[in-house]
Amino acid sequence: MQPLPRTARAYILCAALGAGACALPALLPPSPTPWATAGLLAALYALGELPARCRLLGRFPSGSGGSGGSVPVGAGSFFPVLLAAALLLPPAAAALTALPGCLLARVDEAPAGWRRTWRTAATALATWAAAHTAAALHAPAALATGPGAPDVPRALAAALGAALVLCLVLTALDTGVRALADGLPLRAARRGHLGRALAPHLVHGLAGLMMAVLWRSPYGPAAALLVLLPMYLSCWVFAQYHRERAAHQSTIRALVQAVDIKDSYTRGHSERVGHASVLIARELGMDGDRLDTVRFAGILHDVGKLGVPTRVLRKDGPLTPEERRIIELHPEYGHEMIRGIGFLGEAREAVLHHHERIDGSGYPYGLRGEEIPECARIVAVADAFDAMTSTRSYSRARPVATALAELERCAGSHFDPRMVDALTRALGRFCRKPAVTADEPAGPGAQVPAPRTSAAQPKEPA
């Protein structure tokens, strides 16, 4: 785990101070906060966001008599409660309703304290901004009791405006923290996030409006709770999706572990190629499911080594022509192994073609140029880069600059120049240190001998 940069920590602390300043007026006299409404909404949000793994939301039978998997309810599933608070409460009180749920929710990834602080501050700030928007659009008057109330058109405009602002503020804040934490430019950090989040937030705005209208109706808060039933159902659907993704990850992890056990010289290589492939794909503007596909392709590119004799994989000396023909079959073996795994999509073609070359001199089919799938061209560059910057049985790790120079020399013949340029730009920001897989790492001042074969085509196809 990389430590959180100092700039990112300062950003999170500033957000936390801002959230505290926004919520503080609700606690100071004379405060117009309706504590009964604020307390109940805060309790509802906390209950919804707690990582309770109940039978309905998080546990499902395995279908074969085994124990069910446990899937946490995701953050954001109960935003309608916060949007109802934005419509019903003053801004400071609305910000307070987000605090208990965010503080009590479980955080699975480290650093947990910083992540919890960030989530609490960002959600409180976004709810406060949404409440100000609702007030500016006259939500209190539109939802007031009395003749002609509620004024549905005005209330609808206020709810959608509040949901839009909630989405924009969360996206902007998350873009900032991702840029600082991951060293990304703002354009890369924000790419795709607003488009994916906008529609769900607008739907949450409609659900929040229904809660607010029922809350102010003669039936009171009890009727408003009925709106949460569709939210629980949506959480159930999300949990199913989460469970399916977890099964996908377990399948891939098992395959990679099998390769690492068989070919101990390159242990960890698959994960590093998956990471480098994602760096390249991000530079090329890919996001969402496409990034997942590229990552799967990088991780699984060598799965076909399971079909190669171990004596060939672990041979210390040069390969004979017959042994090289055997090892060059591993892309086809890999493609055959995973062809029935539907969720991999384009990653299957990348496994088959990651040793093709732009000039047509690669294998297994001698494809050239654009005939090679884009995902395979990405993995080819990531694979060669990690092979050169890792210690193997037949070569010592090369410095990153040397490896990049070799990739640039082979760009246009072996590798797609776009992919090489993308990796160079990404590494220029991340300052990636060369990883090694042997027991003895190459020291910073070590003389790195040339490998026994071409750097772009190592003895063992990586």
Side-chain angles (χ1 to χ4, degrees):
M1 180 195 72
Q2 295 293 328
L4 196 65
R6 187 175 302 174
T7 52
R9 284 180 283 170
Y11 183 84
I12 293 173
L13 288 176
C14 289
L17 291 174
C22 291
L24 185 61
L27 303 174
L28 298 177
S31 171
T33 303
W35 286 110
T37 299
L40 184 53
L41 287 170
L44 287 174
Y45 183 66
L47 180 64
E49 291 294 346
L50 280 175
R53 299 167 184 245
C54 65
R55 184 179 298 276
L56 174 63
L57 292 179
R59 295 194 181 274
F60 305 90
S62 64
S64 59
S67 59
S70 185
V71 181
V73 176
S77 302
F78 292 86
F79 275 172
V81 178
L82 297 182
L83 288 164
L87 295 170
L88 295 169
L89 298 172
L96 280 178
T97 61
L99 300 184
C102 293
L103 290 173
L104 293 174
R106 193 177 89 182
V107 178
D108 291 324
E109 297 182 44
W114 287 106
R115 287 180 181 272
R116 181 176 286 108
T117 300
W118 169 249
R119 180 185 168 190
T120 303
T123 307
L125 286 170
T127 305
W128 177 84
H132 268 291
T133 303
L137 294 173
H138 311 292
L143 294 171
T145 58
D151 185 344
V152 175
R154 292 173 65 190
L156 179 61
L160 293 178
L164 177 61
V165 168
L166 183 81
C167 179
L168 291 174
V169 172
L170 284 176
T171 301
L173 291 172
D174 284 342
T175 296
V177 79
R178 288 186 72 242
L180 293 173
D182 296 337
L184 295 172
L186 285 176
R187 190 172 79 171
R190 72 169 182 265
R191 184 180 291 127
H193 288 275
L194 181 60
R196 292 195 301 269
L198 185 57
H201 278 85
L202 293 178
V203 173
H204 289 163
L206 296 176
L209 174 61
M210 288 189 286
M211 280 194 70
V213 169
L214 290 172
W215 199 285
R216 291 285 177 86
S217 73
Y219 302 102
L225 297 181
L226 295 175
V227 179
L228 292 181
L229 179 60
M231 294 300 103
Y232 275 94
L233 291 176
S234 70
C235 287
W236 182 84
V237 173
F238 172 81
Q240 288 277 39
Y241 169 74
H242 187 96
R243 179 174 178 259
E244 183 179 357
R245 285 184 61 86
H248 294 171
Q249 298 286 352
S250 296
T251 300
I252 292 172
R253 193 177 303 115
L255 290 170
V256 171
Q257 286 175 347
V259 175
D260 284 347
I261 290 171
K262 184 163 187 175
D263 189 7
S264 58
Y265 284 134
T266 57
R267 183 164 297 160
H269 168 70
S270 298
E271 293 287 348
R272 294 194 301 272
V273 171
H275 177 67
S277 298
V278 169
L279 292 182
I280 296 171
R282 280 181 176 155
E283 287 294 324
L284 297 175
M286 299 181 187
D287 55 29
D289 292 341
R290 194 78 194 282
L291 273 184
D292 286 341
T293 298
V294 171
R295 183 170 62 86
F296 290 153
I299 291 173
L300 291 174
H301 74 286
D302 271 346
V303 69
K305 285 184 176 180
L306 293 173
V308 177
T310 304
R311 62 174 178 80
V312 176
L313 289 177
R314 298 189 178 185
K315 184 176 180 180
D316 288 333
L319 297 177
T320 67
E322 178 62 27
E323 288 169 336
R324 176 162 291 281
R325 281 194 294 271
I326 291 173
I327 207 169
E328 287 181 355
L329 291 173
H330 80 275
E332 294 176 276
Y333 291 156
H335 182 260
E336 190 65 26
M337 289 175 186
I338 65 174
R339 66 185 304 176
I341 305 178
F343 70 85
L344 290 177
E346 187 185 355
R348 291 172 293 186
E349 297 304 309
V351 170
L352 178 61
H353 296 298
H354 71 279
H355 278 295
E356 305 283 3
R357 292 179 174 179
I358 295 298
D359 61 6
S361 63
Y363 61 88
Y365 300 131
L367 301 184
R368 63 175 63 241
E370 296 295 323
E371 294 176 347
I372 307 171
E374 184 180 38
C375 193
R377 283 178 271 146
I378 291 173
V379 173
V381 171
D383 182 25
F385 174 77
D386 188 75
M388 287 187 284
T389 56
S390 301
T391 294
R392 302 293 179 87
S393 61
Y394 51 87
S395 67
R396 296 290 299 274
R398 292 185 171 193
V400 169
T402 303
L404 290 176
E406 179 68 11
L407 288 175
E408 290 172 1
R409 185 183 69 81
C410 296
S413 56
H414 294 93
F415 307 113
D416 187 330
R418 287 177 58 236
M419 312 310 175
V420 175
D421 290 344
L423 180 63
T424 302
R425 291 196 304 270
L427 293 180
R429 286 198 305 273
F430 283 90
C431 299
R432 181 187 186 277
K433 296 180 181 179
V436 295
T437 53
D439 293 336
E440 180 185 358
Q447 295 295 320
V448 182
R452 299 179 186 176
T453 58
S454 167
Q457 183 70 33
K459 176 187 76 76
E460 304 167 14

